[in-house]
Structure formats: C-alpha cells, structure tokens
C-alpha cells in the first residue's frame, strides 16, 4: 500500500487549474476514433436484424445478397455458432448460449441474424435487404414481473425458467431490528430502462495477420478482459490478440462492451483474409447493440424510530437484463458496496432477482447499478420524512454517518474510508441558499405553477473490487483488481508513461502526467502518456468502477516514487554520500548541507543510461519503473456471513435542484441545480467539474426523458433519437458545484473517484424535487423517467 | 444508378471526385477527403455531431448528399484552425475551459458556436444554449461549453475594443 | 443507415422540374429541398425514390414578397430566411412566432417552407400557421398551374394532396387588414426544438370594444394532420378576453388525437384545449394593445 500524505500539501500541479492533454487534439478535429482508423483493404459489415421479439428461424436464403456486386461474404449464426465459443456470462448459465448472430431462434426485436461483408457500408446494406429469412413468430415474454411465474414463454428453453438468479442475503439482525422499531414504510421504486447512449456508437476494425499470427483490433472499447474474451471465443491464445488502446473512445460510461461485434468481425477477418470493419449505425446501436441499462423494480421496507433514524432495511430488487445477460446480472451486486447509502443503517436484507426477457441485452452502465439503488434508498428517506412530518434535510442529517465515525463498516462488509457528509450537506444548503429556493418555490406556486425543491445525498463508491461477483457465481473467485503503469525517463531526461487501457473522456493522460509531474517535480506538459496495446501492456481492468484516479493514480505515484528513489540512489553513489543525505527539489539532487555538491536531472539520466562506471554496483541500468497496483483493501473472499469489503473509497454528493412544472402540460423545467461534492483530492479540477456536471446531466436524462420503451409485443418503440430523448443544452440548467476535500487514507494523494457521482444522485434529487412540487396534491411518482404526460395524467386524476 | 463527378470546395480547397449520388456529405468528407474531424452520431439529423459550415451557415452534413454541395463553400472543424495551424480563439477557449471530455461532439459544437458568435458578438447564456441546442453532448452537461463561448465572445469584444 | 441508390438531377428551372416529374413513368421521382425530413426517411430506407430532383439552386423558387393583401413565399424559401424576414415579422406575426419553434439553427438553415408543408407532418409548425391563415398553394405541372386552398391539402399523417407530377412553387398567405390584430403560438414538446406533441396557433382581430371580430385557429399534433378549428373560430366571434372559456370544449369535436410513444390520446386532447386557450389569450391580449 502506498501511504497518503498526512497533511494536505500545497500541490504544484495536482488540484491546480491546468489544461488537459487530450483537449488539444479534440478541438483540432484530430481525435482518433475507431471510424477514423483506416486499415488498407478493409471491407465493411452491415447487419440484418430480426423484426420479431421471439421467433424460430426456419430458413435463411443468402443467395441474392451474395450475388450483388461488391459483396464478399454473408455470415449466418449456424456457421458462427459452430466456429466460435459462446460469449461470456457473469452468472453460471451453461444453458444460456449467446452468439453474435442468432442460432436457430431470435430472442429480441433487433437481434442480429446475418452479417454482410462488402466493399462499402452502402453496398452491405443493399445486400442485407436481399437476404430472405423465414421466421416463425412466437409469443414473447416482455413483462419483467411476470418472469417469475411459470407460464411465461421461455426466453432460453434449455435453461428451464426465465429467472436467471435469485438469492437473498441478510447482514446483521434484521428481524430483531424490525421488531425493535416502532415505524415502517414500504414502497415500490421503479427505474426505467435507460442507458448511457454515447454520441459515438460502438465500432471495431480487425485485421488478422496470417504470417505473424496476430489479430489486430481497434475498437471503441471500455471493457475489462476484452482481449481475454476475444481469444476465448475465437479459440486462439491470448497473445495472438493485440488490442490497440490508443483509439479515442467517444464516450462510454460503461456501455462500450461490443464483444459480440468484435467476435463477429475477428472471425470474419480470420476467415476471409482481409481486414473487416463494423461501425454500428444508430439503429443497430439502439436495438441490436446490447447496450441497454438497468430495468429495475425495487420493493423496500424501512424500519425506523420516532426520530427518523433508520435501523434496518429489506430490499427486493428485480432486474430485467434482456435476452442475453452477459455481465448485466452482476449489476445487482455492485450496489452491495453502498447498499445503505451514506446512512448508519444497522442491518439489511437484500433479495436480488435477475430475469431474462425478449428484449435487448443489458450492459454495465455508469455506477454498475448504484444509481437505481441510490434512487430507491433516497425514495425511502423521503417516505420516512413524510411519515413523521420531518424536514427532509433533517432526516438525512440524523442518518448520515458522522465525520468522527470513519472508517465506517456497513452491514455487507464494505468500509467507508473517509468523509464529512454533514459538512458537504450543510455546505450545499448554504450555497444553494435553501431558504431562498423555498421562497422562490412558494412564489411560483402563488402564480399558479407547480414548483419543488429536491434533496438527495448519495455515495459514489470508487476503486472497483468486484468480489461481490463471487456471491453470484462461485466460479468467479477473482480477487485481483489491478491497474498498471510503466514509466521511463529517456537519456536526455524526457519522461514517458505507458498506461494499459483505453480512455473515453476521463482525461487519463492528464491524470497520469499530472501525478507523475507532481511526484517528480517535472512539468506535466512535458510528460508523454501512451496507451500501450494489449500485448505490451501490463495487467489492467479498464476504466470501470470509478477506479482510475484511485488505482491508476496510485500506480502512477508508486512508479514515479520508484524512479525518484532510483535517481536519488544514483546521485548518492556518484556524489559519495549515503542515500538519506540527498535532497531532491525541482530537478536537482543536492547533498544536504553542501549546496555546491549536486547533480541535475539531465546528468542523472545521462549516468543511468550511458555511464555504467558511475552507477552503483548491481543497480539496474536505464531509468524505468513499473507498478501493478491492487485496489486498496481488496484480496479476501466473502466470509461465512457473506460479508466482504468491496470498493475502498467513497465520494459523497449532496444535490439540491429547484424545478417548476407547467400544470397544464406536466412539463418539468429544472431551474437551478446545486451540488456539493467531495471526491477527496481532485487531480485536475476542470476534469472533476466536467464529470460532476456531465453526470448531473446524464441523471436528469434518466429522471425525466430517457426510456427504451417497449410495447406489449416486445417491439422497441424508442429506437432512434426521435424517441429516445437525450437532453440538450435547453434541458440542462447551469449547475453550481461546491467542492469539499476529505482525502482518502488509502490512495497515494488522497484521491477518490469522481466519474459517476453526478449521475448517481441526480435522478434521486430530481424525483425529490418533482414530488415536492406534487406534494400539495398528495401525488407521489416513484417511477423513472417521470415524463410530462405522467405528471399531467396524475394531476388530472386528482383534480377532476 | 450511375456515379457523378463533382467538385467540392472544402476549407478553401477544390477537389474533384466521382461518387455515387447517395453518398452523404459527411461520408464524403470523412472517407473520400479523409477529413475525419467531422463525426457521425445518428444519421437522422438529431445529434449535430456532423455539423459543418455550408457557406457560413451550420448544417447537418448527414442530411445532405455530397453532390448537393457542389458550388458551395464547406468549412469543417479542420478549417477553423488558423492558417499557420494554430488554434482559433474559439478552439483555444474550448481547451482552456475544458469544454469537452470524449471530444466526439466537439467539432459540431465548434461550428455551432462559431456561427453564433459571427452573428451575435455578445450572446446571453440563453442565446448560447439555443445555438448549441441542436448539438447533443453526453459528457459535459454543456456548462463548460457555454463558458468557452462566453470567454471567446469576451476575448473578441476586448480585441475589437483594443483595435 | 445509408439511403438506397438513386439518380440525381440538379434542376435549374421550374419547367425542368415539371418535365422530369411528368416523364417519371414507373419511377418514383422526389423533390429534395432542405432534406431535413426527406433524408432521414431515406436513411432509414422508408423513402426510396429512384430519382432525386434537387431544387435548391432554382432561384425562382425562393423569395419572400409583400403583395399587400398577401405575402408570397417561394416554396424553396429557407426557414432561416423566414425567421429573419422583416416582411414576415411585420405582416405575418403568426408565421414569425411559428418558425421560431422549428427545430434548431441547423434545421432552419436548410429546411424550407415548401418542404415542411408538402411533407405534412402532423405537428410541424409552418403548415399549422399556413393552415390557420388560409394560405393558397400554387402547384405547377407541365399541364399548367393550379391554385389550391391549403384546407384540404393535408390528408393524413405525412400524406398531402399533391400529385406525383406536381411541384409546389409558391405559398401565398393572406395578410389581415384589420386594425387590431394579435397572435399567439404555443406548443409543448418533449425537448425544446423537438416536433410538437401538440401545438396551437391563433390569430384574432378585435373590434374597438375588445370583442373578437375574426379568428383563425389551428392545432398540430392533435390529429393525423394539422387541423383548422372552424367551429371554434366561428364561436369565438363576439367573445372577449374573459368570455371564451366556455366554448373551448369545441376543440374536442374537431380533433382526433392518437396515442404514440410520446403521448397518449387523452394527454393530447386535454393539452390541446389548454394550449388553444393560451394562444387565444395571447392573441386577444396582443390585439388589445
């Protein structure tokens, strides 16, 4: 473990306003996104999707498609299913088989049935239209709650049921705690199926080199074990797969998994002998990309005393992962790491149910299930307050973990590392001028409008220790969650660092160069950061779980400190003193008490690379270091009570929006949004601020606008940007953020994660505000998204 | 269906191509001219990632066929750079304000913003949000973009005042 | 989402366009103006013309002219030009209000008034305004020119009463000569700039005593086509600012709302009433100034 500094130092680069490294190429139009990658000779793929939610494939006639000039191949599921291993599921589901192209049966409207390879995407689409498929359409299973009943059509007949997973855990004395509390509230909270939907769709280019036996892959990817899964599907050794991690990814927040796209394309290039490219168009992406998010129903009961302090909680979470689960069911597990939110709840019963349906597959979305869970918990806090007639801020203040109680262990076993939740909450009440917001709310009401002020306090777990997966599948006995960096200093003194995964807007090059610069007292602008390909790279788990500042950041500190130590050793030897006699500052290694006796950075580099005769005997030559950093606190398996510490670092936010609702149309306008956030040491303040505000915007989308709506027959009604509504600049208000810093004791510079927080609390905060606006009518809506028509209908029912 | 010959003026330079009429302007810019700064996000006219200038006005290049652009001046994000390759003041402000994260919507945002500033040197926040309302961003929540446009407007007003 | 193949002709005159349309035979030949509605349909292969006739370079099809009793718009006039036009803001304030709600700057830079009307989207703003004000459409074919009142032009969602060989060349929108005129335009959409879920346009003229002497009201999004509310218009005569709420129910008789992914039929019906009411309120208030 790398120790964090005891006091908050006056950083030179960290936490200072600095331009990022990445932005320069983006403003110039010189990003390298996957669709910009040109591999000579590459051919293009278009997909033929199934129009049916559930159907048997009777026959596929590709002859007309193949006859079209410019078409090279038409692939169907029978061939691909034989030639490749089925795709990975997080749960142990031997009878749930997933291939990129449907085999025998299609299980959702939009599922891929055939793939055409042609000279251009235009021709490939022409050919796809000429493929004749005969289907036998079957009744579909679409209602998530009904999946538990036995009489639904089976999505995967061989699995025997539509329930993929169902288990209940109990942590702490739930029955006793319930018996001892005078009050309970029970409620349902529903999270509609939405997702990240980045502006760039998923894409992949693959080239098989027969002579060198290398599969080169360029993709818009954000995924752990990508190369592992490619190799496994293709039945080739992992060191025949080279994923190029220097592709700029146009946004992801979890969803750019694309493993089926990749297996499809890598199979084709290997078979056909030329590079193959598949870029999802928006229609492909929305229905067939398998990138939907949680689709969840929570039934919760909270037990609390007359002061509103919650002692215990029972949660049932039902999630519909669509036809092909992949890792999605595990999205019910991650929230265990903050299952009681930022509150001092003593015991929890948690029943997690994952069901399959004839819908598009689900994928990890920003927070990996934490945002729906936070929404469900915060709904409970509102209910408790209402039940007792308590102020909503006060009820939270009474339940929040206190500053002097850290590290704080929650019933499932995670340990909240640090925080000052009350200070952040008090701070945002002050910054937002809460009383003034309430006055403005009341003034709007006096004018005949509906208006509400919302509050939500939420955690953003960071760092990524996914051993909760073991509780879902004992075969996932994985306790290593590392991130690596290699750092080297050239003979002339320039520094280069190599990170081992992709970046999708988080500014990792800036993260690494800033930290390395801080540790080595060198200007981060002079430090080059590369993305090593998967063959060169050291172990990585990719930028998920709000982990990179924590794990990559700590790895960077470690490697940099290693290099600094080596340089000091070399300096000491050459200057003829003990190592502890050397002081390093600003590129100079000086003997303590003898300022004339020193060596410069450049001189040390020259010695290290070129002058063996001046090096300490046995010392490594050159100047490099690497660090493979395990996530702090991780390593153990769950104990016999299913308790295990999961994510190590906990960032905290308090959200306060003011909304106005037009009573005639039900349309919500978010006027103001205040957010207090504490992510420990912010490496780059602009990046953190961008993540916070962007997360809030993403959360407003999930709260008010976005839904992958299905009809009763399993047809996706929101398959384009006309129907799936991403918020524009009109829908997002100016966001005022106030920062706090409670460093983590577990990381090199006290940094925590910040990539998710806005998103993890905004839906709860918006729901709180909307329900405050509807409270005078005794209306409460606990299902997201809350759309204008939902509000208008509720008002109409109440006031007719 | 036959191909057609067309001469396109892009970023001040003429290029003659033989292309199918159905090739969209964005595909032509990206694949034929290798100007990959303009991006494809939806191909049905909503996201704005494909925005370019057609004779000084921003349009969606996914909703135009390349052959339609003959006889017009097209300016892409690459054409916003100064002659010597340095960043324009707007591009520089975007960098200064960190008005992006993944960078995918950025070229379109620059076009939409530059168009606003050309017409309105002192835009209000509402004016700015209206101007970029046809450009979707999933990363930033728009605020740092608004700030970058405000910064540029201020720089230009001060520059004009100083002569 | 690549369009199916087509032949392309860049027309240089109205005569040429009409000839091309007349010679179509079995081919489907479509006009492309701004492309803001047509190209997405082509990208999704819901529209697959064999030939696209590009009318964007036909100068005689663009232009806004004040003829005193009406304003004429070349069908190829850009929405952006309408937005910026002093003639429109002075003489057709309802159209000025409507056009501000159309899409975003990129949309209005290419979109045309002719394209918007010919496509017949049930919630598009310009067709609504033109319908309210009883525009006349000028249609041309090789066989000659036809004047068609706009009422009856919209048949069903995205279906308009234009023959395959006809070209819409001009839209004439009457200018009211009354002394005291006011307008109102209200819409609600999921996001600002989206197609309206429902929209209401109103123009009224008032007598000296504040009573309505003339009314033009249309709604969009509340039926498969934009609808002119003839019954309500007639009932509004003689009413004043605080005297028309009792007749708002007439709206229900004239619309035919449907449920889709954006809204239910019930929502559309109830909100249409509210927006019509607001539009009339605004119009009367403005006329009274």
């Amino acid at each position: 473990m790398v120790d964090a500094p005891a006091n908050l130092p006056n950083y030179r680069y960290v936490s200072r306003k600095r331009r990022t490294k990445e932005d320069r190429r983006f403003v110039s139009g010189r990003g390298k996104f996957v669709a910009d990658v040109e591999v000579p000779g590459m051919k293009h793929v278009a997909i033929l999707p199934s129009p049916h939610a559930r159907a048997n494939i009777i026959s596929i006639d590709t002859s007309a498609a193949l006859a079209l000039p410019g078409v090279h191949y038409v692939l169907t599921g029978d061939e691909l299913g034989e030639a490749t291993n089925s795709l990975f599921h997080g749960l142990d589901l031997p009878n749930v088989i997933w291939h990129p192209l449907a085999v025998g049966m299609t299980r959702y409207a939009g599922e891929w049935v055939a793939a055409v390879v042609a000279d251009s995407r235009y021709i490939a689409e022409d050919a796809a239209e000429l493929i004749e498929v005969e289907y036998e359409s079957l009744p579909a299973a679409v209602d998530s709650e009904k999946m538990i009943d036995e009489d639904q059509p089976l999505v995967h007949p061989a699995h025997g049921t539509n329930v993929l997973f169902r288990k209940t855990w109990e942590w702490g004395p739930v029955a006793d705690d319930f018996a001892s509390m005078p009050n309970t509230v029970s409620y349902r909270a529903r999270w509609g199926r939405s997702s990240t939907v980045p502006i760039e769709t998923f894409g992949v280019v693959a080239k098989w080199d027969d002579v060198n036996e290398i599969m080169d892959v360029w993709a818009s990817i954000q995924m752990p074990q990508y190369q592992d899964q490619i190799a496994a599907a293709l039945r080739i050794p992992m060191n025949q797969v080279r994923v190029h991690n220097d592709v700029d990814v146009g946004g992801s927040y979890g969803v750019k998994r694309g493993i089926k796209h990749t297996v499809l394309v890598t199979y084709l290039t290997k078979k056909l002998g030329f590079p193959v490219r598949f870029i999802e168009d928006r229609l492909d992406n929305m229905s067939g990309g398998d990138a939907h998010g949680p689709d969840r129903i929570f039934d919760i009961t909270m037990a609390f005393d007359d002061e509103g302090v919650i002692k215990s909680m029972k949660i049932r979470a039902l999630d519909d992962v669509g036809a092909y689960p992949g890792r999605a069911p595990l999205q019910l597990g991650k929230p265990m790491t903050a299952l009681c939110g930022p509150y001092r709840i003593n015991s929890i019963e948690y029943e997690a149910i994952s069901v399959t349906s004839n819908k598009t597959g689900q994928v990890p979305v920003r927070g990996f299930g934490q945002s729906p869970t936070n929404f469900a918990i915060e709904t409970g806090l509102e209910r408790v307050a209402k039940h007792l007639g308590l102020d909503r801020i006060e009820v939270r203040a009474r339940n929040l973990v206190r500053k002097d109680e850290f590290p704080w262990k929650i019933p499932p076993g995670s340990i909240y590392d640090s925080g000052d939740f009350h200070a952040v909450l008090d701070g945002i009440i002050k910054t937002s001028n809460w009383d003034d917001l309430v006055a403005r709310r009341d003034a709007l009401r006096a004018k005949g409008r509906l208006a509400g002020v919302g509050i939500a306090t939420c955690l953003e777990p960071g760092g990524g220790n996914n051993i909760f997966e073991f509780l879902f599948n004992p075969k996932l006995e994985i306790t290593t969650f590392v991130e690596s960096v290699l750092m080297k200093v050239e003979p002339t003194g320039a520094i280069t660092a190599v990170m081992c995964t992709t970046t999708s807007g988080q500014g990792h090059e800036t993260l690494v160069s800033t930290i390395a610069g801080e540790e080595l007292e060198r200007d981060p602008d002079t430090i080059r950061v590369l993305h090593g390909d998967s063959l060169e790279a050291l172990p990585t788990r990719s930028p998920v779980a709000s982990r990179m500042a924590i794990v990559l950041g700590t790895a960077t500190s470690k490697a940099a400190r290693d290099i600094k130590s080596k340089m000091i050793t070399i300096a000491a030897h050459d200057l003829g003193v003990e190592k502890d006699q050397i002081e390093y500052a600003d590129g100079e290694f000086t003997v303590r008490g003898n300022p004339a006796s020193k060596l410069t950075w450049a001189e040390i580099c020259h010695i290290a690379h070129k002058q063996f005769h001046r090096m300490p005997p046995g010392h490594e030559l050159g100047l490099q270091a690497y660090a493979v950093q395990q996530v702090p606190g991780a390593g153990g398996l769950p104990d016999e009570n299913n308790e295990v510490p999961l994510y190590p670092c906990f960032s905290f936010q308090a959200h306060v929006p003011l909304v106005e609702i037009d009573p005639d149309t039900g349309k919500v306008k978010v006027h103001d949004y205040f957010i207090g956030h504490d992510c420990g040491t912010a490496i780059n303040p602009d990046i953190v601020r961008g993540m916070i505000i962007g997360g809030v915007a993403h959360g407003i989308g999930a709260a008010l606008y976005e839904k992958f709506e299905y009809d009763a027959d399993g047809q996706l009604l929101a398959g384009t940007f006309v129907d799936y509504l991403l918020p524009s600049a009109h829908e997002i208000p100016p966001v005022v953020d106030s920062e706090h810093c409670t460093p983590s004791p577990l990381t090199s510079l006290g940094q925590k994660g910040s990539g998710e927080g806005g998103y993890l609390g905004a839906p709860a905060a918006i729901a709180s505000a909307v329900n405050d606006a509807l409270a005078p009518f005794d209306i409460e809506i606990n299902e997201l998204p809350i759309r204008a028509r939902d509000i208008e209908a509720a008002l109409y029912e109440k006031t007719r | 269906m036959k191909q057609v010959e067309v001469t396109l003026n892009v970023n001040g330079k003429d290029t003659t191509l033989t292309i199918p009429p159905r090739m969209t302007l964005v595909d032509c810019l990206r694949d034929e001219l290798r100007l990959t700064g303009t991006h494809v996000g939806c191909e049905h006219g909503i996201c704005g990632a494909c925005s370019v200038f057609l004779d000084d006005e921003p349009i969606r290049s996914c909703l135009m066929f390349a052959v339609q652009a003959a006889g017009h001046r097209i300016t892409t994000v690459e054409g916003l750079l100064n002659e010597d390759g340095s960043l324009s003041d707007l591009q520089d402000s975007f960098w200064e304000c960190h008005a992006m994260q993944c960078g995918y919507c950025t070229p379109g945002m620059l076009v939409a913003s530059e168009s606003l500033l050309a017409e309105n040197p002192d835009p209000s926040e509402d004016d700015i949000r209206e101007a970029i309302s046809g450009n979707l961003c999933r990363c930033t929540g728009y605020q740092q973009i608004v700030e970058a446009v405000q910064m540029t407007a201020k720089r230009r007003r001060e520059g004009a005042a100083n002569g | 989402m690549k369009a199916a193949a087509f032949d392309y002709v860049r027309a240089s005159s109205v005569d040429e366009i009409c000839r091309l349309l007349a010679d179509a035979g079995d081919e489907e030949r479509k006009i492309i103006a701004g492309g803001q509605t047509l190209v997405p349909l082509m990208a999704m292969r819901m529209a697959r013309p064999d030939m696209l006739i590009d009318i964007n370079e036909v100068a005689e099809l663009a232009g806004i002219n004040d003829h005193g009793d009406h304003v004429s718009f070349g069908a190829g006039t850009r929405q952006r030009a309408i937005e910026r036009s002093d003639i429109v803001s002075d003489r057709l304030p309802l159209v000025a209000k409507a056009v501000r709600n159309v899409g975003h700057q990129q949309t209005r830079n290419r979109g045309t008034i002719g394209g918007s009307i010919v496509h017949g989207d049930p919630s598009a703003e310009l067709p609504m305004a033109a319908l309210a004000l009883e525009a006349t459409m000028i249609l041309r074919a090789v066989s000659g020119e036809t004047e068609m009142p706009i009422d009856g032009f919209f048949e069903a969602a995205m279906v308009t009463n234009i023959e395959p060989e006809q070209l819409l060349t001009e839209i004439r929108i009457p200018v009211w000569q009354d002394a005291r005129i006011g307008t109102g335009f209200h819409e609600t959409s999921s996001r600002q700039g989206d197609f309206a879920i429902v929209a209401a346009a109103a123009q009224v003229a008032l007598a000296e005593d504040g009573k309505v002497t003339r009314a033009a009201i249309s709604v969009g999004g509340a039926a498969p086509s934009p609808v002119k509310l003839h019954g309500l218009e007639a009932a509004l005569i003689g009413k004043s600012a605080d005297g028309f709420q009792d007749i708002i129910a007439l709206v229900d008789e004239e619309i035919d709302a449907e449920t889709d992914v954006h809204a239910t039929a019930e929502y559309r019906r109830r909100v249409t009433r509210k927006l019509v009411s607001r539009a009339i309120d605004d119009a009367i208030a403005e006329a009274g100034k």
Side-chain angles (χ1 to χ4, degrees), chain A residues 102-418:
Chain A
V103 181
M105 179 178 204
T106 67
R107 293 181 169 82
Y108 66 92
E111 183 177 356
W112 301 348
V113 172
V116 177
V117 185
D119 286 341
S120 75
R121 173 76 189 214
Y122 288 78
I123 295 170
E125 289 191 18
D126 293 341
E129 282 191 316
L130 298 175
I131 301 171
E132 289 177 23
V133 185
E134 201 190 329
Y135 295 101
E136 179 198 355
S137 176
L138 302 165
V142 173
D143 186 325
S144 313
E145 277 196 277
K146 291 194 177 145
M147 299 310 171
I148 303 175
D149 300 337
E150 294 308 317
D151 63 349
Q152 286 292 295
L154 291 176
V155 179
H156 294 274
H159 181 68
T161 165
N162 284 335
V163 177
L164 298 176
F165 181 84
R166 184 174 197 171
K167 195 158 177 196
T168 304
W169 297 275
E170 187 180 313
W171 295 287
V174 174
D176 287 348
D177 284 348
F178 263 76
S180 71
M181 287 292 110
N183 307 295
T184 61
V185 286
S186 293
Y187 61 93
R188 167 166 282 200
R190 197 162 184 157
W191 178 275
R193 178 180 270 248
S194 58
S195 192
T196 300
V197 195
I199 307 303
E200 182 206 35
T201 61
F202 186 84
V204 53
V205 183
K207 174 185 171 196
W208 172 247
D209 176 340
D210 216 11
V211 170
N212 293 301
E213 291 187 303
I214 289 191
M215 177 72 74
D216 275 303
V217 178
W218 296 263
S220 181
I221 189 71
Q222 183 215 2
M223 174 177 164
Q225 301 173 305
Y226 183 49
Q227 44 273 14
D228 311 46
Q229 292 189 21
I230 296 170
L234 292 181
R235 303 169 185 155
I236 58 179
M238 235 179 104
N239 68 359
Q240 286 188 4
V241 178
R242 176 163 59 195
V243 174
H244 294 266
N245 291 312
D246 60 348
V247 174
D248 287 315
V249 178
S252 175
Y253 302 105
V255 304
K256 291 265 178 82
R257 301 281 154 146
I259 188 60
K260 72 173 186 181
H261 315 50
T262 304
V263 170
L264 174 72
V265 162
T266 50
Y267 172 77
L268 284 167
T269 181
K270 196 154 193 269
K271 181 189 170 92
L272 300 173
F274 48 71
V276 176
R277 175 210 217 212
F278 174 49
I279 309 292
E280 281 179 334
D281 69 24
R282 190 50 68 181
L283 294 180
D284 296 329
N285 167 264
M286 300 291 271
S287 62
D290 284 338
H292 287 193
D295 184 353
R296 204 167 282 197
I297 302 170
F298 293 92
D299 290 301
I300 297 182
T301 305
M302 290 185 172
F304 54 102
D305 67 19
D306 290 328
E307 308 305 309
V309 176
I310 301 162
K311 192 101 187 262
S312 186
M313 200 162 67
K314 293 180 185 171
I315 305 175
R316 178 199 196 243
L318 172 77
D319 192 271
D320 178 351
V321 298
Y324 298 101
R327 275 177 64 72
L330 303 174
Q331 198 149 211
L332 282 163
K334 143 57 189 294
M336 288 176 180
T337 196
L339 198 53
C340 46
Y343 308 117
R344 306 163 74 247
I345 294 173
N346 192 54
S347 58
I348 306 174
E349 179 190 281
Y350 182 52
E351 181 184 10
I353 310 171
S354 180
V355 299
T356 179
S357 68
N358 291 116
K359 295 180 194 160
T360 304
Q362 186 189 120
V363 85
V365 169
R366 200 172 195 173
F368 207 23
Q370 194 65 51
S371 192
T373 308
N374 287 351
F375 162 66
I377 297 168
E378 288 301 284
T379 300
L381 269 290
E382 303 278 283
R383 288 278 178 131
V384 168
K386 187 172 170 189
H387 185 96
L388 292 174
L390 265 182
D391 176 80
R392 292 175 294 153
I393 301 170
E394 181 58 28
V395 75
R396 285 170 171 86
R398 291 181 187 179
N399 279 282
L400 288 171
V401 176
R402 291 191 276 271
K403 166 176 155 174
D404 55 353
E405 292 178 314
F406 291 94
W408 171 265
K409 183 169 174 215
I410 65 168
S414 284
I415 300 168
Y416 295 170
D417 59 337
S418 70

Side-chain angles (χ1 to χ4, degrees), chain C:
Chain C
M1 292 159 68
K2 311 299 182 190
F6 54 86
D7 283 323
Y8 171 83
V9 174
R10 181 182 285 207
S12 44
S13 72
V14 170
D15 284 339
E16 185 189 357
I17 298 168
C18 293
R19 258 183 285 114
L20 285 165
L21 291 175
D23 293 343
D26 285 333
E27 275 193 5
E28 189 190 352
R29 295 183 175 181
K30 278 195 89 66
I31 308 291
I32 184 165
Q36 302 300 290
T37 306
L38 179 61
V39 181
L41 291 172
M42 291 177 70
M44 299 196 208
R45 302 200 174 200
M46 286 159 60
R48 315 169 63 111
D50 299 296
M51 176 188 283
L52 269 195
I53 304 166
D54 186 342
I55 66 162
N56 287 289
E57 313 300 318
V58 179
E60 60 190 295
L61 282 175
I64 304 171
N65 292 294
D66 185 351
H67 298 275
D69 66 342
H70 73 273
V71 173
S72 70
F73 297 85
T77 305
R78 306 275 177 212
Q79 289 152 358
R80 193 76 150 137
I82 297 173
E83 192 185 2
R84 287 171 166 150
S85 161
D86 287 334
I87 295 175
V88 173
S89 53
D90 287 342
R91 317 287 270 138
L92 296 174
L94 185 62
V95 174
K97 284 183 181 167
V99 78
R100 281 201 287 273
N101 287 282
V102 175
H104 307 278
Q105 61 163 324
Q106 292 96 325
T107 323
R108 298 191 293 273
N109 285 341
R110 286 295 287 172
T112 62
I113 180 170
S116 180
I117 286 178
V118 166
H119 275 290
D121 190 291
S123 53
E125 293 85 354
L126 284 175
M128 269 178 65
L131 179 65
L133 296 176
E134 301 182 37
T136 303
M137 328 267 282
I138 311 302
L139 301 163
R140 255 264 239 125
V142 289
S143 53
E145 194 171 271
T146 316
E147 277 188 26
M148 180 189 289
I150 195 169
D151 207 351
F153 185 69
F154 303 108
E155 292 189 343
M158 310 300 285
V159 178
T160 50
N161 198 356
I162 184 168
E163 300 298 326
E165 69 272 11
Q166 283 180 318
L167 168 71
L168 174 67
T169 58
E170 194 181 309
I171 300 107
R172 296 177 186 158
I173 304 185
V175 175
W176 289 10
Q177 308 300 325
D178 311 64
R180 303 164 81 209
I181 296 169
T183 60
F185 190 96
H186 282 274
E187 77 169 53
T188 190
S189 53
S190 304
R191 293 168 304 190
Q192 205 166 320
D194 283 345
F195 267 129
I197 293 177
V198 288
Q203 181 161 308
V204 302
L206 296 186
E208 286 284 323
D209 62 1
K211 296 212 161 71
V212 174
T213 54
R214 191 176 177 193
I217 308 168
S218 69
V219 293
S225 303
V227 177
K228 188 158 159 68
L229 300 179
H230 296 284
L232 185 59
E233 289 171 347
L236 209 51
I237 309 292
K239 297 281 184 185
S240 59
D242 49 5
F244 70 85
Q245 283 307 324
D246 55 326
I247 56 165
I248 281 295
L250 285 171
V251 171
D252 291 347
E253 292 169 24
E254 301 189 80
I255 61 173
D256 178 21
E258 290 179 347
T259 294
D260 68 10
V261 69
H262 292 283
T264 60
E266 294 73 29
Y267 178 86
R268 290 196 150 96
R269 265 200 295 276
R270 291 193 293 261
V271 177
T272 299
R273 280 209 205 179
K274 298 272 166 73
L275 296 186
V276 167
S277 189
R278 284 187 195 175
I280 295 172
D281 260 335
D282 284 0
I284 293 177
E286 198 176 80
K289 287 206 188 107

